[in-house]
């Protein structure tokens, strides 16, 4: 688990889980799986994305980072995923 982004509006945490079975080819790391948890602090909702949606999210973030974005620009990008958020934020 790694905190990637934290603003007044959003938090993004990356989760990676390594495969329990190593790759049989030398020098090739085992497969990993995981995704991103995105939290909307004001709406108090969250979403966990994985697979193709997570890959698309990461590609968009990578492209955005190349432009040295402001916090407002990053928040605007992350807010695109707010409409998908259905899970209420529960603190434990």
């Amino acid at each position: 688990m790694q905190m990637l982004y934290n603003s007044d509006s959003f938090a993004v945490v990356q989760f990676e889980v390594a495969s329990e079975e190593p790759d049989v080819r030398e020098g090739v790391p085992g497969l990993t799986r995981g995704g991103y948890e995105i939290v909307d602090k004001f709406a108090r909702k969250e979403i966990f994305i994985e697979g193709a949606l997570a890959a698309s999210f990461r590609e968009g973030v990578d492209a955005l980072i190349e432009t040295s974005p402001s916090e407002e620009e990053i928040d605007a990008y992350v807010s695109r995923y707010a409409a998908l958020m259905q899970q209420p934020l529960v603190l434990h």
Side-chain angles (χ1 to χ4, degrees):
M1 177 171 78
Q2 179 180 7
M3 175 72 73
L4 297 180
Y5 181 69
N6 190 19
S7 71
D8 290 340
S9 303
F10 296 99
V12 179
V13 178
Q14 179 180 18
F15 291 89
E16 279 194 33
V17 180
S19 173
E20 293 185 19
E21 295 182 27
D23 196 315
V24 295
R25 298 170 287 174
E26 285 187 38
V28 178
L31 295 175
T32 61
R33 60 181 289 265
Y36 301 94
E37 180 180 36
I38 304 171
V39 176
D40 183 334
K41 295 177 181 180
F42 292 121
R44 299 186 66 175
K45 291 187 177 184
E46 65 181 335
I47 187 171
F48 182 80
I49 58 174
E50 59 186 336
L53 186 57
S56 175
F57 176 78
R58 183 61 190 201
E59 289 171 6
V61 168
D62 288 344
L64 185 62
I65 295 301
E66 290 179 7
T67 67
S68 300
S70 66
E71 184 175 307
E72 291 79 20
E73 291 171 315
I74 296 172
D75 278 355
Y77 177 76
V78 174
S79 72
R80 296 177 186 178
Y81 293 83
L84 302 173
M85 296 180 188
Q86 301 296 318
Q87 182 69 31
L89 182 61
V90 178
L91 301 176
H92 46 87

Coordinates of all heavy atoms in Angstrom, one line a residue:
M1 N 0.9 -1.2 0.0 CA 0.0 0.0 0.0 C 0.9 1.2 0.0 O 1.9 1.3 0.8 CB -0.9 0.0 1.2 CG -1.8 1.2 1.4 SD -3.0 1.0 2.7 CE -2.0 1.3 4.1
Q2 N 0.6 2.2 -0.9 CA 1.4 3.4 -1.0 C 0.5 4.6 -1.3 O -0.3 4.5 -2.3 CB 2.4 3.2 -2.2 CG 3.3 4.4 -2.3 CD 4.3 4.2 -3.5 OE1 4.3 3.3 -4.2 NE2 5.1 5.2 -3.6
M3 N 0.6 5.6 -0.5 CA -0.2 6.8 -0.7 C 0.4 7.5 -1.9 O 1.6 7.9 -1.9 CB -0.1 7.7 0.5 CG -0.8 9.1 0.4 SD -2.6 9.0 0.3 CE -3.0 8.7 2.0
L4 N -0.3 7.7 -2.9 CA 0.1 8.4 -4.1 C -0.2 9.9 -4.2 O 0.5 10.7 -4.7 CB -0.4 7.7 -5.4 CG 0.0 6.3 -5.6 CD1 -0.7 5.8 -6.9 CD2 1.5 6.2 -5.7
Y5 N -1.4 10.2 -3.6 CA -1.9 11.6 -3.7 C -2.8 11.9 -2.5 O -3.6 11.0 -2.1 CB -2.6 11.8 -5.0 CG -3.1 13.2 -5.2 CD1 -2.2 14.3 -5.4 CD2 -4.5 13.5 -5.1 CE1 -2.7 15.6 -5.6 CE2 -5.0 14.8 -5.3 CZ -4.1 15.8 -5.5 OH -4.5 17.1 -5.7
N6 N -2.6 13.1 -1.9 CA -3.5 13.4 -0.8 C -3.6 14.9 -0.8 O -2.7 15.7 -0.7 CB -2.8 13.0 0.5 CG -3.7 13.1 1.7 OD1 -5.0 13.2 1.5 ND2 -3.2 13.2 2.9
S7 N -4.9 15.4 -1.1 CA -5.2 16.8 -1.1 C -6.3 17.0 -0.1 O -6.8 16.1 0.5 CB -5.6 17.3 -2.5 OG -6.8 16.8 -2.9
D8 N -6.8 18.3 0.0 CA -8.0 18.5 0.8 C -9.2 17.8 0.3 O -10.1 17.6 1.1 CB -8.2 20.0 0.9 CG -7.2 20.8 1.6 OD1 -6.4 20.2 2.4 OD2 -7.1 22.0 1.4
S9 N -9.3 17.5 -1.0 CA -10.5 16.9 -1.6 C -10.4 15.4 -1.8 O -11.4 14.7 -1.7 CB -10.7 17.6 -3.0 OG -10.8 18.9 -2.9
F10 N -9.2 14.9 -2.2 CA -9.1 13.5 -2.6 C -7.8 12.9 -2.0 O -6.9 13.5 -1.7 CB -9.0 13.4 -4.1 CG -10.2 13.8 -4.9 CD1 -10.2 15.1 -5.4 CD2 -11.3 13.0 -5.0 CE1 -11.3 15.5 -6.1 CE2 -12.4 13.4 -5.6 CZ -12.4 14.7 -6.2
A11 N -7.9 11.5 -1.9 CA -6.7 10.7 -1.5 C -6.7 9.5 -2.5 O -7.8 9.0 -2.8 CB -6.8 10.2 -0.1
V12 N -5.5 9.2 -3.0 CA -5.4 8.0 -3.9 C -4.3 7.1 -3.3 O -3.2 7.6 -3.0 CB -5.0 8.5 -5.3 CG1 -4.8 7.3 -6.2 CG2 -6.0 9.4 -5.9
V13 N -4.7 5.9 -3.1 CA -3.7 4.9 -2.5 C -3.6 3.7 -3.5 O -4.6 3.3 -4.1 CB -4.2 4.3 -1.2 CG1 -3.3 3.3 -0.6 CG2 -4.4 5.5 -0.2
Q14 N -2.4 3.3 -3.8 CA -2.1 2.2 -4.7 C -1.9 1.0 -3.9 O -1.1 1.0 -2.9 CB -0.9 2.5 -5.5 CG -0.5 1.4 -6.5 CD 0.7 1.7 -7.3 OE1 1.5 2.5 -7.0 NE2 0.9 0.9 -8.4
F15 N -2.5 -0.1 -4.3 CA -2.3 -1.4 -3.7 C -1.7 -2.4 -4.7 O -2.2 -2.4 -5.8 CB -3.7 -2.0 -3.2 CG -4.3 -1.3 -2.1 CD1 -5.1 -0.2 -2.3 CD2 -4.0 -1.7 -0.8 CE1 -5.7 0.5 -1.2 CE2 -4.6 -1.0 0.3 CZ -5.4 0.1 0.0
E16 N -0.6 -3.1 -4.3 CA 0.0 -4.1 -5.2 C 0.1 -5.4 -4.4 O 0.6 -5.3 -3.3 CB 1.3 -3.6 -5.7 CG 1.2 -2.7 -6.9 CD 2.5 -2.5 -7.6 OE1 3.3 -3.5 -7.7 OE2 2.7 -1.4 -8.1
V17 N -0.3 -6.5 -5.0 CA -0.1 -7.8 -4.4 C 0.7 -8.6 -5.4 O 0.3 -8.9 -6.5 CB -1.5 -8.4 -4.1 CG1 -1.3 -9.8 -3.5 CG2 -2.4 -7.5 -3.3
A18 N 1.8 -9.1 -4.9 CA 2.7 -10.0 -5.7 C 2.1 -11.3 -5.9 O 1.4 -11.8 -4.9 CB 4.1 -10.1 -5.2
S19 N 2.3 -11.9 -7.0 CA 1.8 -13.3 -7.2 C 2.5 -14.2 -6.3 O 3.7 -14.1 -6.0 CB 2.1 -13.7 -8.7 OG 1.8 -15.1 -8.9
E20 N 1.8 -15.2 -5.8 CA 2.5 -16.2 -4.9 C 3.3 -17.2 -5.7 O 4.1 -17.9 -5.2 CB 1.4 -16.9 -4.1 CG 0.7 -16.0 -3.1 CD -0.2 -16.7 -2.2 OE1 -0.1 -18.0 -2.1 OE2 -1.1 -16.0 -1.6
E21 N 3.1 -17.3 -7.0 CA 3.9 -18.2 -7.9 C 4.9 -17.4 -8.7 O 4.5 -16.5 -9.5 CB 2.9 -19.0 -8.8 CG 2.0 -19.9 -8.1 CD 1.1 -20.7 -9.0 OE1 1.6 -20.9 -10.2 OE2 0.0 -21.1 -8.7
P22 N 6.2 -17.6 -8.5 CA 7.2 -16.9 -9.2 C 7.1 -17.3 -10.7 O 6.7 -18.4 -11.1 CB 8.5 -17.3 -8.6 CG 8.2 -18.6 -7.9 CD 6.7 -18.6 -7.6
D23 N 7.6 -16.3 -11.5 CA 7.7 -16.6 -13.0 C 8.8 -17.6 -13.2 O 9.9 -17.5 -12.6 CB 7.9 -15.3 -13.7 CG 7.7 -15.5 -15.2 OD1 8.1 -16.5 -15.8 OD2 7.0 -14.6 -15.8
V24 N 8.6 -18.6 -14.0 CA 9.6 -19.6 -14.2 C 10.8 -19.1 -15.1 O 11.9 -19.8 -15.1 CB 9.0 -20.9 -14.9 CG1 8.0 -21.5 -13.9 CG2 8.4 -20.6 -16.2
R25 N 10.7 -18.0 -15.8 CA 11.8 -17.5 -16.6 C 12.7 -16.7 -15.8 O 12.3 -15.9 -14.9 CB 11.2 -16.6 -17.8 CG 10.3 -17.4 -18.7 CD 9.6 -16.5 -19.6 NE 8.5 -15.9 -18.9 CZ 7.8 -14.9 -19.3 NH1 7.9 -14.5 -20.6 NH2 6.9 -14.3 -18.6
E26 N 14.0 -16.8 -16.0 CA 15.0 -16.1 -15.2 C 14.9 -14.6 -15.5 O 14.7 -14.2 -16.7 CB 16.4 -16.6 -15.5 CG 16.7 -17.9 -14.8 CD 18.1 -18.3 -15.0 OE1 19.0 -17.4 -14.9 OE2 18.4 -19.4 -15.2
G27 N 15.0 -13.8 -14.5 CA 15.0 -12.3 -14.7 C 13.7 -11.7 -14.9 O 13.6 -10.5 -15.1
V28 N 12.6 -12.5 -14.9 CA 11.3 -11.9 -15.1 C 10.5 -11.9 -13.8 O 10.4 -13.0 -13.2 CB 10.5 -12.7 -16.2 CG1 9.1 -12.2 -16.4 CG2 11.2 -12.7 -17.5
P29 N 10.1 -10.8 -13.3 CA 9.4 -10.8 -12.0 C 8.1 -11.5 -12.1 O 7.5 -11.5 -13.2 CB 9.3 -9.3 -11.7 CG 9.4 -8.6 -13.0 CD 10.3 -9.5 -13.9
G30 N 7.6 -12.0 -11.0 CA 6.2 -12.6 -11.0 C 5.2 -11.5 -11.3 O 5.4 -10.3 -11.1
L31 N 4.0 -12.0 -11.7 CA 2.9 -11.1 -12.0 C 2.5 -10.4 -10.7 O 2.6 -10.9 -9.6 CB 1.7 -11.8 -12.6 CG 2.0 -12.5 -13.9 CD1 0.8 -13.3 -14.3 CD2 2.2 -11.4 -15.0
T32 N 2.0 -9.2 -10.8 CA 1.4 -8.5 -9.7 C 0.0 -8.1 -10.0 O -0.4 -8.0 -11.2 CB 2.2 -7.2 -9.3 OG1 2.1 -6.3 -10.4 CG2 3.6 -7.5 -9.0
R33 N -0.8 -8.0 -9.0 CA -2.2 -7.5 -9.2 C -2.5 -6.4 -8.2 O -1.8 -6.4 -7.2 CB -3.2 -8.6 -9.3 CG -3.3 -9.4 -8.0 CD -4.3 -10.5 -8.1 NE -5.7 -10.0 -8.1 CZ -6.4 -9.9 -7.0 NH1 -6.0 -10.3 -5.9 NH2 -7.6 -9.4 -7.1
G34 N -3.4 -5.6 -8.4 CA -3.7 -4.6 -7.4 C -4.6 -3.6 -8.1 O -5.3 -3.8 -9.1
G35 N -4.6 -2.4 -7.5 CA -5.4 -1.3 -8.0 C -5.3 -0.1 -7.2 O -4.3 0.1 -6.5
Y36 N -6.2 0.8 -7.3 CA -6.2 2.1 -6.7 C -7.5 2.3 -5.9 O -8.6 2.1 -6.4 CB -6.1 3.2 -7.7 CG -4.8 3.1 -8.5 CD1 -4.9 2.4 -9.8 CD2 -3.6 3.6 -8.1 CE1 -3.7 2.3 -10.5 CE2 -2.5 3.4 -8.9 CZ -2.5 2.8 -10.1 OH -1.4 2.6 -10.8
E37 N -7.3 2.8 -4.7 CA -8.5 3.3 -3.9 C -8.5 4.8 -4.0 O -7.5 5.4 -3.7 CB -8.3 2.8 -2.5 CG -9.5 3.3 -1.6 CD -9.4 2.9 -0.2 OE1 -8.3 2.9 0.4 OE2 -10.5 2.6 0.4
I38 N -9.6 5.3 -4.4 CA -9.8 6.8 -4.6 C -10.9 7.2 -3.6 O -12.0 6.6 -3.6 CB -10.2 7.1 -6.0 CG1 -9.2 6.6 -7.0 CG2 -10.3 8.7 -6.2 CD1 -9.6 6.7 -8.5
V39 N -10.5 8.2 -2.8 CA -11.5 8.6 -1.8 C -11.8 10.1 -2.0 O -10.9 10.9 -2.2 CB -10.8 8.5 -0.3 CG1 -11.7 9.1 0.7 CG2 -10.5 7.1 0.0
D40 N -13.1 10.4 -2.1 CA -13.6 11.8 -2.2 C -13.9 12.2 -0.7 O -14.9 11.7 -0.1 CB -14.8 11.8 -3.1 CG -15.4 13.2 -3.3 OD1 -15.1 14.1 -2.4 OD2 -16.0 13.5 -4.3
K41 N -13.1 13.1 -0.2 CA -13.2 13.4 1.2 C -14.5 14.2 1.5 O -15.1 14.1 2.6 CB -12.0 14.2 1.7 CG -10.7 13.4 1.6 CD -9.5 14.2 2.0 CE -8.2 13.4 1.9 NZ -7.1 14.2 2.3
F42 N -14.9 15.1 0.6 CA -16.1 15.9 0.8 C -17.4 15.1 0.7 O -18.3 15.2 1.5 CB -16.1 17.1 -0.2 CG -15.0 18.1 0.1 CD1 -14.1 18.4 -0.8 CD2 -15.0 18.7 1.4 CE1 -13.1 19.3 -0.5 CE2 -14.0 19.6 1.7 CZ -13.0 19.9 0.7
A43 N -17.5 14.2 -0.3 CA -18.6 13.4 -0.5 C -18.7 12.2 0.4 O -19.7 11.5 0.6 CB -18.7 12.9 -2.0
R44 N -17.5 11.9 1.0 CA -17.3 10.8 1.9 C -17.7 9.5 1.2 O -18.4 8.6 1.8 CB -18.1 11.0 3.2 CG -17.6 12.2 4.0 CD -18.3 12.4 5.3 NE -17.8 11.2 6.1 CZ -18.1 11.1 7.4 NH1 -18.9 11.9 8.0 NH2 -17.6 10.1 8.0
K45 N -17.2 9.3 0.0 CA -17.3 8.1 -0.7 C -16.0 7.6 -1.3 O -15.1 8.4 -1.4 CB -18.3 8.3 -1.9 CG -19.7 8.5 -1.4 CD -20.7 8.6 -2.6 CE -22.1 8.7 -2.1 NZ -23.0 8.7 -3.2
E46 N -15.9 6.4 -1.7 CA -14.7 5.8 -2.2 C -15.0 4.8 -3.3 O -16.1 4.3 -3.4 CB -13.9 5.2 -1.1 CG -14.5 4.0 -0.5 CD -13.7 3.4 0.6 OE1 -12.5 3.5 0.7 OE2 -14.3 2.7 1.5
I47 N -13.9 4.5 -4.0 CA -14.0 3.4 -5.0 C -12.7 2.7 -5.1 O -11.6 3.3 -4.9 CB -14.4 4.0 -6.4 CG1 -14.7 2.8 -7.4 CG2 -13.4 4.9 -6.9 CD1 -15.3 3.3 -8.7
F48 N -12.7 1.4 -5.4 CA -11.5 0.7 -5.6 C -11.5 0.3 -7.1 O -12.5 -0.4 -7.5 CB -11.4 -0.6 -4.7 CG -10.1 -1.3 -5.0 CD1 -8.9 -0.9 -4.4 CD2 -10.1 -2.5 -5.8 CE1 -7.7 -1.6 -4.6 CE2 -8.9 -3.2 -6.0 CZ -7.7 -2.7 -5.4
I49 N -10.5 0.7 -7.9 CA -10.5 0.3 -9.3 C -9.3 -0.6 -9.5 O -8.3 -0.5 -8.9 CB -10.4 1.5 -10.2 CG1 -9.2 2.4 -9.9 CG2 -11.7 2.4 -10.1 CD1 -9.0 3.6 -10.8
E50 N -9.5 -1.6 -10.4 CA -8.5 -2.5 -10.8 C -8.6 -2.9 -12.3 O -9.6 -2.4 -12.9 CB -8.5 -3.8 -9.9 CG -9.8 -4.5 -10.0 CD -9.9 -5.7 -9.0 OE1 -8.8 -6.2 -8.6 OE2 -11.0 -6.1 -8.6
G51 N -7.7 -3.7 -12.8 CA -7.8 -4.1 -14.2 C -7.7 -3.0 -15.2 O -6.8 -2.1 -15.0
A52 N -8.5 -3.1 -16.2 CA -8.4 -2.1 -17.3 C -8.7 -0.7 -16.9 O -8.0 0.3 -17.3 CB -9.3 -2.5 -18.5
L53 N -9.6 -0.5 -16.0 CA -9.9 0.8 -15.4 C -8.7 1.4 -14.7 O -8.4 2.6 -14.8 CB -11.2 0.8 -14.6 CG -11.7 2.1 -14.1 CD1 -12.0 3.1 -15.3 CD2 -13.0 1.9 -13.3
A54 N -8.1 0.6 -13.9 CA -6.9 1.0 -13.2 C -5.8 1.4 -14.1 O -5.0 2.4 -13.9 CB -6.4 0.0 -12.2
A55 N -5.6 0.6 -15.2 CA -4.6 0.9 -16.1 C -4.8 2.2 -16.9 O -3.9 3.0 -17.1 CB -4.5 -0.2 -17.2
S56 N -6.1 2.4 -17.2 CA -6.5 3.7 -17.8 C -6.2 4.9 -16.9 O -5.7 5.9 -17.3 CB -7.9 3.7 -18.2 OG -8.4 4.9 -18.7
F57 N -6.6 4.7 -15.6 CA -6.3 5.7 -14.6 C -4.8 6.1 -14.5 O -4.4 7.2 -14.6 CB -6.8 5.3 -13.2 CG -6.6 6.2 -12.1 CD1 -7.3 7.4 -11.9 CD2 -5.5 6.0 -11.2 CE1 -7.1 8.3 -10.9 CE2 -5.3 6.9 -10.2 CZ -6.0 8.0 -10.0
R58 N -4.0 5.0 -14.5 CA -2.6 5.2 -14.4 C -2.0 5.9 -15.6 O -1.1 6.8 -15.5 CB -1.9 3.9 -14.2 CG -0.4 4.0 -14.0 CD -0.1 4.8 -12.7 NE 1.3 5.1 -12.6 CZ 1.9 5.4 -11.5 NH1 1.2 5.5 -10.4 NH2 3.1 5.7 -11.5
E59 N -2.5 5.6 -16.8 CA -2.0 6.2 -18.0 C -2.4 7.7 -18.0 O -1.5 8.5 -18.4 CB -2.6 5.5 -19.2 CG -2.0 4.2 -19.5 CD -2.8 3.4 -20.6 OE1 -3.7 4.0 -21.2 OE2 -2.5 2.2 -20.8
G60 N -3.5 8.0 -17.5 CA -4.0 9.4 -17.4 C -3.1 10.2 -16.5 O -2.7 11.3 -16.7
V61 N -2.8 9.6 -15.3 CA -2.0 10.2 -14.3 C -0.6 10.4 -14.9 O 0.0 11.5 -14.7 CB -1.9 9.4 -13.0 CG1 -0.9 9.9 -12.1 CG2 -3.3 9.4 -12.3
D62 N 0.0 9.4 -15.5 CA 1.3 9.5 -16.1 C 1.4 10.7 -17.1 O 2.3 11.5 -17.1 CB 1.8 8.2 -16.8 CG 2.1 7.1 -15.8 OD1 2.3 7.4 -14.6 OD2 2.1 6.0 -16.2
A63 N 0.4 10.8 -17.9 CA 0.3 11.9 -18.9 C 0.2 13.2 -18.2 O 0.8 14.2 -18.6 CB -0.8 11.7 -19.9
L64 N -0.6 13.3 -17.2 CA -0.8 14.5 -16.4 C 0.5 15.0 -15.7 O 0.8 16.2 -15.7 CB -1.9 14.4 -15.4 CG -2.4 15.6 -14.6 CD1 -2.9 16.6 -15.6 CD2 -3.4 15.2 -13.6
I65 N 1.2 14.0 -15.1 CA 2.4 14.4 -14.4 C 3.5 15.0 -15.3 O 4.3 15.8 -14.9 CB 3.0 13.1 -13.7 CG1 2.0 12.6 -12.6 CG2 4.3 13.3 -13.1 CD1 1.7 13.6 -11.5
E66 N 3.5 14.6 -16.6 CA 4.5 15.1 -17.5 C 4.3 16.6 -17.7 O 5.3 17.3 -18.1 CB 4.4 14.4 -18.8 CG 4.9 13.0 -18.8 CD 4.7 12.3 -20.1 OE1 4.4 12.9 -21.1 OE2 5.0 11.1 -20.2
T67 N 3.1 17.2 -17.4 CA 2.9 18.6 -17.6 C 3.1 19.4 -16.3 O 2.8 20.6 -16.3 CB 1.4 18.8 -18.0 OG1 0.5 18.5 -17.0 CG2 1.1 18.0 -19.3
S68 N 3.6 18.8 -15.3 CA 3.8 19.5 -14.0 C 2.5 20.2 -13.5 O 2.5 21.4 -13.4 CB 5.0 20.5 -14.0 OG 6.2 19.9 -14.4
P69 N 1.5 19.4 -13.2 CA 0.2 20.0 -13.0 C 0.1 20.6 -11.6 O 0.9 20.3 -10.7 CB -0.7 18.7 -13.0 CG 0.2 17.6 -12.6 CD 1.5 18.0 -13.1
S70 N -0.9 21.5 -11.4 CA -1.2 22.1 -10.1 C -2.1 21.1 -9.3 O -2.6 20.1 -9.9 CB -1.9 23.4 -10.3 OG -3.2 23.2 -10.9
E71 N -2.2 21.4 -8.1 CA -3.1 20.5 -7.3 C -4.6 20.6 -7.8 O -5.2 19.5 -7.8 CB -3.1 21.0 -5.8 CG -4.0 20.1 -4.9 CD -3.8 20.5 -3.4 OE1 -2.7 20.7 -2.9 OE2 -4.9 20.7 -2.8
E72 N -5.0 21.7 -8.3 CA -6.3 21.8 -8.9 C -6.5 21.0 -10.1 O -7.5 20.4 -10.3 CB -6.6 23.3 -9.2 CG -6.8 24.2 -8.0 CD -5.5 24.6 -7.4 OE1 -4.4 24.6 -8.1 OE2 -5.5 25.0 -6.2
E73 N -5.5 20.9 -11.0 CA -5.5 20.1 -12.2 C -5.6 18.6 -11.8 O -6.3 17.8 -12.4 CB -4.3 20.4 -13.1 CG -4.4 21.7 -13.7 CD -3.1 22.1 -14.4 OE1 -2.0 21.9 -13.9 OE2 -3.2 22.6 -15.5
I74 N -4.8 18.2 -10.8 CA -4.8 16.8 -10.4 C -6.2 16.5 -9.8 O -6.8 15.4 -10.1 CB -3.7 16.5 -9.4 CG1 -2.3 16.7 -10.0 CG2 -3.8 15.1 -8.8 CD1 -1.2 16.6 -9.1
D75 N -6.7 17.3 -8.9 CA -8.1 17.1 -8.4 C -9.1 17.0 -9.5 O -10.0 16.2 -9.4 CB -8.4 18.3 -7.4 CG -7.9 18.1 -6.0 OD1 -7.2 17.0 -5.7 OD2 -8.0 19.0 -5.2
A76 N -9.0 17.8 -10.5 CA -10.0 17.8 -11.6 C -9.9 16.4 -12.3 O -10.9 15.9 -12.7 CB -9.7 18.9 -12.6
Y77 N -8.7 15.9 -12.5 CA -8.6 14.6 -13.1 C -9.2 13.5 -12.2 O -10.0 12.7 -12.7 CB -7.1 14.3 -13.4 CG -7.0 12.9 -14.0 CD1 -7.3 12.6 -15.4 CD2 -6.5 11.8 -13.3 CE1 -7.2 11.4 -15.9 CE2 -6.4 10.5 -13.8 CZ -6.8 10.3 -15.1 OH -6.7 9.1 -15.6
V78 N -8.8 13.5 -11.0 CA -9.3 12.5 -10.0 C -10.8 12.6 -9.9 O -11.5 11.6 -9.8 CB -8.6 12.6 -8.7 CG1 -9.2 11.6 -7.7 CG2 -7.1 12.3 -8.8
S79 N -11.4 13.8 -10.0 CA -12.8 14.0 -9.8 C -13.6 13.3 -10.9 O -14.8 13.0 -10.8 CB -13.2 15.4 -9.7 OG -13.0 16.1 -11.0
R80 N -13.0 13.0 -12.0 CA -13.7 12.2 -13.1 C -14.2 10.9 -12.6 O -15.1 10.3 -13.2 CB -12.7 12.0 -14.3 CG -12.3 13.3 -15.0 CD -11.3 12.9 -16.1 NE -10.7 14.1 -16.7 CZ -9.8 14.1 -17.7 NH1 -9.4 12.9 -18.1 NH2 -9.4 15.2 -18.2
Y81 N -13.6 10.3 -11.6 CA -13.9 9.0 -11.1 C -15.0 9.1 -10.0 O -15.5 8.1 -9.5 CB -12.7 8.3 -10.6 CG -11.8 7.9 -11.8 CD1 -10.9 8.8 -12.3 CD2 -11.9 6.7 -12.4 CE1 -10.1 8.5 -13.4 CE2 -11.1 6.3 -13.5 CZ -10.2 7.3 -14.0 OH -9.5 7.0 -15.1
A82 N -15.3 10.3 -9.6 CA -16.2 10.5 -8.5 C -17.6 10.0 -8.8 O -18.3 9.5 -7.9 CB -16.3 12.0 -8.1
A83 N -18.0 10.1 -10.0 CA -19.4 9.6 -10.4 C -19.5 8.1 -10.3 O -20.6 7.6 -10.1 CB -19.7 10.0 -11.9
L84 N -18.4 7.4 -10.3 CA -18.4 5.9 -10.1 C -18.5 5.5 -8.6 O -18.7 4.3 -8.3 CB -17.2 5.3 -10.7 CG -16.9 5.6 -12.2 CD1 -15.6 5.1 -12.6 CD2 -18.0 5.0 -13.0
M85 N -18.2 6.5 -7.7 CA -18.1 6.1 -6.3 C -19.5 5.8 -5.7 O -20.4 6.7 -5.7 CB -17.4 7.3 -5.5 CG -16.0 7.5 -5.9 SD -15.3 8.8 -5.0 CE -13.7 9.0 -5.9
Q86 N -19.7 4.6 -5.2 CA -20.9 4.2 -4.6 C -20.7 3.8 -3.1 O -21.7 3.9 -2.3 CB -21.6 3.1 -5.3 CG -21.9 3.4 -6.8 CD -22.9 4.5 -6.9 OE1 -23.9 4.5 -6.3 NE2 -22.7 5.4 -7.9
Q87 N -19.5 3.5 -2.8 CA -19.2 3.0 -1.5 C -19.0 4.1 -0.5 O -18.2 5.0 -0.7 CB -17.9 2.1 -1.5 CG -17.5 1.5 -0.2 CD -18.5 0.4 0.2 OE1 -19.1 -0.3 -0.6 NE2 -18.6 0.3 1.5
P88 N -19.9 4.2 0.6 CA -19.7 5.2 1.6 C -18.3 5.0 2.3 O -17.9 3.9 2.5 CB -20.9 5.1 2.5 CG -21.4 3.8 2.3 CD -21.0 3.3 0.9
L89 N -17.7 6.1 2.7 CA -16.4 6.0 3.4 C -16.7 5.6 4.8 O -17.5 6.2 5.5 CB -15.8 7.4 3.4 CG -14.4 7.5 4.0 CD1 -13.4 6.5 3.3 CD2 -13.9 8.9 4.0
V90 N -16.0 4.5 5.3 CA -16.2 4.0 6.6 C -14.8 4.0 7.3 O -13.9 3.4 6.7 CB -16.8 2.6 6.6 CG1 -16.9 2.0 8.0 CG2 -18.1 2.5 5.9
L91 N -14.7 4.7 8.4 CA -13.4 4.7 9.1 C -13.4 3.5 10.1 O -14.4 3.2 10.7 CB -13.3 6.0 9.8 CG -13.3 7.2 8.9 CD1 -13.2 8.5 9.8 CD2 -12.2 7.2 7.9
H92 N -12.2 2.9 10.1 CA -12.1 1.8 11.1 C -10.7 1.8 11.7 O -9.9 2.4 11.3 CB -12.4 0.4 10.4 CG -11.7 0.2 9.1 ND1 -10.5 -0.3 9.0 CD2 -12.1 0.5 7.8 CE1 -10.1 -0.3 7.7 NE2 -11.1 0.1 7.0

